[in-house]
Amino acid sequence: MSGPLDGYRIIEIAGIGPGPFAAMLLSDMGAEVIRVERAGAVRGPAPDAPHGDILRRGRRNIALDLKNPDGVETLLQLVESADALIEGFRPGVMERLGVGPDVCLERNPKLVFGRMTGWGQDGPYALAAGHDINYIALAGALAHYGRAGQPPTPPMNMVGDFGGGGMFLAFGVVCALLEAHKSGVGQVVDTAMVDGTAILMTMFWAFHHMGAHDINRRGENLLDTGAHFYDVYECSDGEYVSLGSIEPQFYAELMRLTGLDGDEEFAAQMDASKWPHLKERLAELFRTKTRDEWCEIMEHTDVCFAPVLRMDEAAQHPHNVERNTFIAPGGVTQPAPAPRFSRTAAEVDRPPAHDGQHTREVLVEWGIDESQVDALIESGAAKQA
């Protein structure tokens, strides 16, 4: 057995960003995930080298024309033997193609139908275009990222697309699969990035209600770079280090290792009125040494410290190397599957596939007669790279 989801069959309708990420997570965990591309995406024979998009890893790839009735029927035949299907179109698109949840669940009542959108399947924004930056803005997250006196700073597309989107789609699909195992009945999973992002903010809602986070003051709170002991600092070589010395014992260790333990100005750790000044003093101090010199002083202590590493540096850091946090199948560096399992280890079992690379073998393997597959490819309802 490879991965805790070994034995599950999942159909991924090709999309971008959070949908493929969710499919990758499910595949990493051992599910057999088949990615269904548009037939028009196949331009010729598949190249010998793997596809460059590592979000496609672990899945075989087939190409169907879902505007062709035979292509639609082929997908529905696959649905009959699948455990789940995931898609990331705007609301109503799958229905217009003839492969919406009602049709699919009629073919397979146990099917989990996972849907990924930015705004959700309903609501005033449901049919509008959008991207991560818009979803996290409406969810009440973006307003709180950024430094004091500066505009909100979008955190790339980690929060909406991947944290609030792909992760929640994978989580929702697995939850529904567990329930279907008990009830024998499938259901639709409506995953919206605006919903996922909102729930990621739960702790800050709690802090707000407890009076511990002022939602009207960006960059001036405990965890939003307001505090001098929870921030990043530039070193003499232009690199950065991170501090998270919140608890008194960790703060005391920061004071000791910086030589500030006898400085009365730093004694009142939680006096927010002093944070801007103390931050300036710490910034001046950290600029006196290189990042590596600060690592020599603070790594492996209870300061709550780490160097700020770029992606290539992270892949080479001794801690990540020892834990195999990054892998390089085919010489391509990428994050390893997570989390870890003691018995059913997750692994990447195949490189990213090209559009339509496995059409013939998958259709036959999933129970479609070879002569029918030949006819589908000849008619263009399916395409083999």
Side-chain angles (χ1 to χ4, degrees), residues 3-4 28-29 319-327 335-347:
D28 283 354
M29 293 299 111
H319 180 83
N320 296 330
V321 170
E322 182 172 326
R323 284 188 54 80
N324 294 313
T325 300
F326 297 89
I327 55 177
R340 314 291 175 85
F341 294 83
S342 64
R343 183 172 55 83
T344 56
E347 61 184 37

PDB file of all heavy atoms in Angstrom, residues 3-4 28-29 319-327 335-347:
ATOM      1  N   GLY A   3       0.285   5.175   0.543  1.00  0.00           N
ATOM      2  CA  GLY A   3      -0.595   6.287   0.858  1.00  0.00           C
ATOM      3  C   GLY A   3      -1.923   5.838   1.433  1.00  0.00           C
ATOM      4  O   GLY A   3      -2.474   4.812   1.058  1.00  0.00           O
ATOM      5  N   PRO A   4      -2.491   6.620   2.350  1.00  0.00           N
ATOM      6  CA  PRO A   4      -3.733   6.240   3.024  1.00  0.00           C
ATOM      7  C   PRO A   4      -4.962   6.239   2.125  1.00  0.00           C
ATOM      8  O   PRO A   4      -5.980   5.670   2.497  1.00  0.00           O
ATOM      9  CB  PRO A   4      -3.865   7.287   4.136  1.00  0.00           C
ATOM     10  CG  PRO A   4      -3.071   8.447   3.654  1.00  0.00           C
ATOM     11  CD  PRO A   4      -1.933   7.875   2.879  1.00  0.00           C
ATOM     12  N   ASP A  28      -0.991  12.446  -4.023  1.00  0.00           N
ATOM     13  CA  ASP A  28       0.133  12.219  -3.110  1.00  0.00           C
ATOM     14  C   ASP A  28      -0.236  11.222  -2.018  1.00  0.00           C
ATOM     15  O   ASP A  28       0.601  10.441  -1.559  1.00  0.00           O
ATOM     16  CB  ASP A  28       0.549  13.533  -2.440  1.00  0.00           C
ATOM     17  CG  ASP A  28       1.361  14.452  -3.342  1.00  0.00           C
ATOM     18  OD1 ASP A  28       1.718  14.045  -4.465  1.00  0.00           O
ATOM     19  OD2 ASP A  28       1.635  15.595  -2.915  1.00  0.00           O
ATOM     20  N   MET A  29      -1.498  11.249  -1.582  1.00  0.00           N
ATOM     21  CA  MET A  29      -1.946  10.371  -0.511  1.00  0.00           C
ATOM     22  C   MET A  29      -2.333   8.971  -1.006  1.00  0.00           C
ATOM     23  O   MET A  29      -2.828   8.157  -0.247  1.00  0.00           O
ATOM     24  CB  MET A  29      -3.128  10.999   0.222  1.00  0.00           C
ATOM     25  CG  MET A  29      -2.779  12.257   0.994  1.00  0.00           C
ATOM     26  SD  MET A  29      -1.529  11.985   2.299  1.00  0.00           S
ATOM     27  CE  MET A  29      -0.128  12.880   1.605  1.00  0.00           C
ATOM     28  N   HIS A 319      18.003  20.953   8.199  1.00  0.00           N
ATOM     29  CA  HIS A 319      16.788  20.410   8.812  1.00  0.00           C
ATOM     30  C   HIS A 319      15.871  19.814   7.753  1.00  0.00           C
ATOM     31  O   HIS A 319      15.350  18.694   7.908  1.00  0.00           O
ATOM     32  CB  HIS A 319      16.049  21.505   9.582  1.00  0.00           C
ATOM     33  CG  HIS A 319      14.785  21.023  10.231  1.00  0.00           C
ATOM     34  ND1 HIS A 319      14.779  20.390  11.457  1.00  0.00           N
ATOM     35  CD2 HIS A 319      13.487  21.055   9.812  1.00  0.00           C
ATOM     36  CE1 HIS A 319      13.535  20.052  11.777  1.00  0.00           C
ATOM     37  NE2 HIS A 319      12.733  20.450  10.796  1.00  0.00           N
ATOM     38  N   ASN A 320      15.663  20.553   6.665  1.00  0.00           N
ATOM     39  CA  ASN A 320      14.783  20.077   5.604  1.00  0.00           C
ATOM     40  C   ASN A 320      15.390  18.895   4.859  1.00  0.00           C
ATOM     41  O   ASN A 320      14.671  17.995   4.413  1.00  0.00           O
ATOM     42  CB  ASN A 320      14.483  21.223   4.629  1.00  0.00           C
ATOM     43  CG  ASN A 320      13.714  22.345   5.292  1.00  0.00           C
ATOM     44  OD1 ASN A 320      12.944  22.122   6.219  1.00  0.00           O
ATOM     45  ND2 ASN A 320      13.932  23.576   4.824  1.00  0.00           N
ATOM     46  N   VAL A 321      16.715  18.890   4.736  1.00  0.00           N
ATOM     47  CA  VAL A 321      17.387  17.763   4.081  1.00  0.00           C
ATOM     48  C   VAL A 321      17.205  16.494   4.899  1.00  0.00           C
ATOM     49  O   VAL A 321      16.873  15.424   4.374  1.00  0.00           O
ATOM     50  CB  VAL A 321      18.885  18.076   3.873  1.00  0.00           C
ATOM     51  CG1 VAL A 321      19.637  16.828   3.426  1.00  0.00           C
ATOM     52  CG2 VAL A 321      19.058  19.193   2.842  1.00  0.00           C
ATOM     53  N   GLU A 322      17.406  16.594   6.209  1.00  0.00           N
ATOM     54  CA  GLU A 322      17.278  15.406   7.062  1.00  0.00           C
ATOM     55  C   GLU A 322      15.856  14.849   7.047  1.00  0.00           C
ATOM     56  O   GLU A 322      15.656  13.643   7.091  1.00  0.00           O
ATOM     57  CB  GLU A 322      17.700  15.746   8.492  1.00  0.00           C
ATOM     58  CG  GLU A 322      17.645  14.538   9.425  1.00  0.00           C
ATOM     59  CD  GLU A 322      18.254  14.826  10.781  1.00  0.00           C
ATOM     60  OE1 GLU A 322      19.226  15.601  10.855  1.00  0.00           O
ATOM     61  OE2 GLU A 322      17.746  14.256  11.776  1.00  0.00           O
ATOM     62  N   ARG A 323      14.864  15.734   6.968  1.00  0.00           N
ATOM     63  CA  ARG A 323      13.469  15.284   6.968  1.00  0.00           C
ATOM     64  C   ARG A 323      12.935  14.967   5.572  1.00  0.00           C
ATOM     65  O   ARG A 323      11.784  14.548   5.429  1.00  0.00           O
ATOM     66  CB  ARG A 323      12.571  16.361   7.606  1.00  0.00           C
ATOM     67  CG  ARG A 323      12.670  16.427   9.110  1.00  0.00           C
ATOM     68  CD  ARG A 323      11.639  17.364   9.697  1.00  0.00           C
ATOM     69  NE  ARG A 323      10.276  17.071   9.294  1.00  0.00           N
ATOM     70  CZ  ARG A 323       9.508  16.112   9.826  1.00  0.00           C
ATOM     71  NH1 ARG A 323      10.000  15.332  10.780  1.00  0.00           N
ATOM     72  NH2 ARG A 323       8.276  15.936   9.410  1.00  0.00           N
ATOM     73  N   ASN A 324      13.775  15.160   4.542  1.00  0.00           N
ATOM     74  CA  ASN A 324      13.315  14.965   3.162  1.00  0.00           C
ATOM     75  C   ASN A 324      12.068  15.805   2.877  1.00  0.00           C
ATOM     76  O   ASN A 324      11.108  15.342   2.255  1.00  0.00           O
ATOM     77  CB  ASN A 324      13.026  13.488   2.882  1.00  0.00           C
ATOM     78  CG  ASN A 324      14.287  12.645   2.930  1.00  0.00           C
ATOM     79  OD1 ASN A 324      15.307  13.009   2.355  1.00  0.00           O
ATOM     80  ND2 ASN A 324      14.217  11.519   3.636  1.00  0.00           N
ATOM     81  N   THR A 325      12.093  17.052   3.362  1.00  0.00           N
ATOM     82  CA  THR A 325      10.984  17.971   3.130  1.00  0.00           C
ATOM     83  C   THR A 325      10.837  18.291   1.649  1.00  0.00           C
ATOM     84  O   THR A 325       9.738  18.557   1.169  1.00  0.00           O
ATOM     85  CB  THR A 325      11.192  19.253   3.945  1.00  0.00           C
ATOM     86  OG1 THR A 325      11.262  18.902   5.334  1.00  0.00           O
ATOM     87  CG2 THR A 325      10.068  20.247   3.737  1.00  0.00           C
ATOM     88  N   PHE A 326      11.944  18.238   0.935  1.00  0.00           N
ATOM     89  CA  PHE A 326      11.935  18.435  -0.510  1.00  0.00           C
ATOM     90  C   PHE A 326      12.496  17.200  -1.190  1.00  0.00           C
ATOM     91  O   PHE A 326      13.394  16.540  -0.656  1.00  0.00           O
ATOM     92  CB  PHE A 326      12.758  19.675  -0.891  1.00  0.00           C
ATOM     93  CG  PHE A 326      12.206  20.952  -0.339  1.00  0.00           C
ATOM     94  CD1 PHE A 326      12.599  21.415   0.912  1.00  0.00           C
ATOM     95  CD2 PHE A 326      11.276  21.696  -1.053  1.00  0.00           C
ATOM     96  CE1 PHE A 326      12.088  22.585   1.441  1.00  0.00           C
ATOM     97  CE2 PHE A 326      10.748  22.870  -0.533  1.00  0.00           C
ATOM     98  CZ  PHE A 326      11.150  23.313   0.720  1.00  0.00           C
ATOM     99  N   ILE A 327      11.951  16.881  -2.339  1.00  0.00           N
ATOM    100  CA  ILE A 327      12.404  15.742  -3.124  1.00  0.00           C
ATOM    101  C   ILE A 327      12.749  16.239  -4.525  1.00  0.00           C
ATOM    102  O   ILE A 327      12.434  17.366  -4.892  1.00  0.00           O
ATOM    103  CB  ILE A 327      11.325  14.645  -3.195  1.00  0.00           C
ATOM    104  CG1 ILE A 327      10.007  15.226  -3.732  1.00  0.00           C
ATOM    105  CG2 ILE A 327      11.116  14.009  -1.808  1.00  0.00           C
ATOM    106  CD1 ILE A 327       8.898  14.195  -3.907  1.00  0.00           C
ATOM    107  N   PRO A 335       8.405  20.235  -3.272  1.00  0.00           N
ATOM    108  CA  PRO A 335       8.042  19.796  -1.922  1.00  0.00           C
ATOM    109  C   PRO A 335       7.578  18.338  -1.923  1.00  0.00           C
ATOM    110  O   PRO A 335       6.897  17.895  -2.854  1.00  0.00           O
ATOM    111  CB  PRO A 335       6.893  20.736  -1.537  1.00  0.00           C
ATOM    112  CG  PRO A 335       7.056  21.924  -2.441  1.00  0.00           C
ATOM    113  CD  PRO A 335       7.587  21.382  -3.725  1.00  0.00           C
ATOM    114  N   ALA A 336       7.941  17.627  -0.881  1.00  0.00           N
ATOM    115  CA  ALA A 336       7.509  16.243  -0.724  1.00  0.00           C
ATOM    116  C   ALA A 336       6.064  16.200  -0.236  1.00  0.00           C
ATOM    117  O   ALA A 336       5.552  17.187   0.308  1.00  0.00           O
ATOM    118  CB  ALA A 336       8.410  15.525   0.279  1.00  0.00           C
ATOM    119  N   PRO A 337       5.376  15.064  -0.424  1.00  0.00           N
ATOM    120  CA  PRO A 337       4.021  14.936   0.125  1.00  0.00           C
ATOM    121  C   PRO A 337       4.000  15.168   1.631  1.00  0.00           C
ATOM    122  O   PRO A 337       4.943  14.814   2.335  1.00  0.00           O
ATOM    123  CB  PRO A 337       3.646  13.486  -0.211  1.00  0.00           C
ATOM    124  CG  PRO A 337       4.459  13.156  -1.425  1.00  0.00           C
ATOM    125  CD  PRO A 337       5.763  13.872  -1.215  1.00  0.00           C
ATOM    126  N   ALA A 338       2.931  15.767   2.101  1.00  0.00           N
ATOM    127  CA  ALA A 338       2.754  16.027   3.536  1.00  0.00           C
ATOM    128  C   ALA A 338       1.272  15.860   3.861  1.00  0.00           C
ATOM    129  O   ALA A 338       0.425  16.124   3.007  1.00  0.00           O
ATOM    130  CB  ALA A 338       3.227  17.434   3.887  1.00  0.00           C
ATOM    131  N   PRO A 339       0.937  15.410   5.087  1.00  0.00           N
ATOM    132  CA  PRO A 339       1.816  15.066   6.199  1.00  0.00           C
ATOM    133  C   PRO A 339       2.418  13.672   6.046  1.00  0.00           C
ATOM    134  O   PRO A 339       2.193  12.993   5.042  1.00  0.00           O
ATOM    135  CB  PRO A 339       0.864  15.136   7.399  1.00  0.00           C
ATOM    136  CG  PRO A 339      -0.457  14.712   6.841  1.00  0.00           C
ATOM    137  CD  PRO A 339      -0.500  15.285   5.450  1.00  0.00           C
ATOM    138  N   ARG A 340       3.142  13.235   7.089  1.00  0.00           N
ATOM    139  CA  ARG A 340       3.809  11.934   7.093  1.00  0.00           C
ATOM    140  C   ARG A 340       2.917  10.901   7.773  1.00  0.00           C
ATOM    141  O   ARG A 340       2.190  11.213   8.718  1.00  0.00           O
ATOM    142  CB  ARG A 340       5.141  12.000   7.840  1.00  0.00           C
ATOM    143  CG  ARG A 340       6.028  13.191   7.486  1.00  0.00           C
ATOM    144  CD  ARG A 340       6.577  13.096   6.075  1.00  0.00           C
ATOM    145  NE  ARG A 340       7.334  14.293   5.718  1.00  0.00           N
ATOM    146  CZ  ARG A 340       8.635  14.486   6.008  1.00  0.00           C
ATOM    147  NH1 ARG A 340       9.295  13.570   6.704  1.00  0.00           N
ATOM    148  NH2 ARG A 340       9.241  15.591   5.625  1.00  0.00           N
ATOM    149  N   PHE A 341       3.007   9.660   7.317  1.00  0.00           N
ATOM    150  CA  PHE A 341       2.233   8.563   7.899  1.00  0.00           C
ATOM    151  C   PHE A 341       3.180   7.444   8.304  1.00  0.00           C
ATOM    152  O   PHE A 341       4.106   7.111   7.573  1.00  0.00           O
ATOM    153  CB  PHE A 341       1.198   8.041   6.895  1.00  0.00           C
ATOM    154  CG  PHE A 341       0.126   9.042   6.566  1.00  0.00           C
ATOM    155  CD1 PHE A 341       0.341  10.022   5.610  1.00  0.00           C
ATOM    156  CD2 PHE A 341      -1.089   9.029   7.229  1.00  0.00           C
ATOM    157  CE1 PHE A 341      -0.629  10.960   5.304  1.00  0.00           C
ATOM    158  CE2 PHE A 341      -2.067   9.965   6.940  1.00  0.00           C
ATOM    159  CZ  PHE A 341      -1.840  10.929   5.978  1.00  0.00           C
ATOM    160  N   SER A 342       2.925   6.838   9.470  1.00  0.00           N
ATOM    161  CA  SER A 342       3.836   5.827  10.000  1.00  0.00           C
ATOM    162  C   SER A 342       3.746   4.501   9.263  1.00  0.00           C
ATOM    163  O   SER A 342       4.708   3.750   9.214  1.00  0.00           O
ATOM    164  CB  SER A 342       3.548   5.603  11.490  1.00  0.00           C
ATOM    165  OG  SER A 342       2.242   5.069  11.673  1.00  0.00           O
ATOM    166  N   ARG A 343       2.576   4.216   8.668  1.00  0.00           N
ATOM    167  CA  ARG A 343       2.388   2.904   8.033  1.00  0.00           C
ATOM    168  C   ARG A 343       2.121   2.997   6.538  1.00  0.00           C
ATOM    169  O   ARG A 343       2.633   2.183   5.763  1.00  0.00           O
ATOM    170  CB  ARG A 343       1.231   2.169   8.735  1.00  0.00           C
ATOM    171  CG  ARG A 343       0.977   0.757   8.223  1.00  0.00           C
ATOM    172  CD  ARG A 343      -0.036   0.039   9.108  1.00  0.00           C
ATOM    173  NE  ARG A 343      -1.280   0.780   9.251  1.00  0.00           N
ATOM    174  CZ  ARG A 343      -2.280   0.745   8.354  1.00  0.00           C
ATOM    175  NH1 ARG A 343      -2.175   0.006   7.268  1.00  0.00           N
ATOM    176  NH2 ARG A 343      -3.376   1.450   8.552  1.00  0.00           N
ATOM    177  N   THR A 344       1.321   3.960   6.123  1.00  0.00           N
ATOM    178  CA  THR A 344       0.945   4.080   4.707  1.00  0.00           C
ATOM    179  C   THR A 344       1.626   5.310   4.114  1.00  0.00           C
ATOM    180  O   THR A 344       0.999   6.335   3.891  1.00  0.00           O
ATOM    181  CB  THR A 344      -0.578   4.184   4.551  1.00  0.00           C
ATOM    182  OG1 THR A 344      -1.060   5.293   5.323  1.00  0.00           O
ATOM    183  CG2 THR A 344      -1.255   2.908   5.029  1.00  0.00           C
ATOM    184  N   ALA A 345       2.917   5.188   3.897  1.00  0.00           N
ATOM    185  CA  ALA A 345       3.719   6.332   3.462  1.00  0.00           C
ATOM    186  C   ALA A 345       3.227   6.890   2.132  1.00  0.00           C
ATOM    187  O   ALA A 345       2.948   6.150   1.186  1.00  0.00           O
ATOM    188  CB  ALA A 345       5.182   5.921   3.349  1.00  0.00           C
ATOM    189  N   ALA A 346       3.107   8.209   2.079  1.00  0.00           N
ATOM    190  CA  ALA A 346       2.715   8.882   0.839  1.00  0.00           C
ATOM    191  C   ALA A 346       3.950   9.116  -0.018  1.00  0.00           C
ATOM    192  O   ALA A 346       5.034   9.385   0.498  1.00  0.00           O
ATOM    193  CB  ALA A 346       2.041  10.212   1.161  1.00  0.00           C
ATOM    194  N   GLU A 347       3.789   9.016  -1.329  1.00  0.00           N
ATOM    195  CA  GLU A 347       4.923   9.233  -2.218  1.00  0.00           C
ATOM    196  C   GLU A 347       4.436   9.700  -3.585  1.00  0.00           C
ATOM    197  O   GLU A 347       3.257   9.554  -3.929  1.00  0.00           O
ATOM    198  CB  GLU A 347       5.738   7.954  -2.369  1.00  0.00           C
ATOM    199  CG  GLU A 347       4.967   6.786  -2.958  1.00  0.00           C
ATOM    200  CD  GLU A 347       5.784   5.504  -3.001  1.00  0.00           C
ATOM    201  OE1 GLU A 347       6.571   5.275  -2.047  1.00  0.00           O
ATOM    202  OE2 GLU A 347       5.635   4.744  -3.968  1.00  0.00           O
TER     203      GLU A 347
END
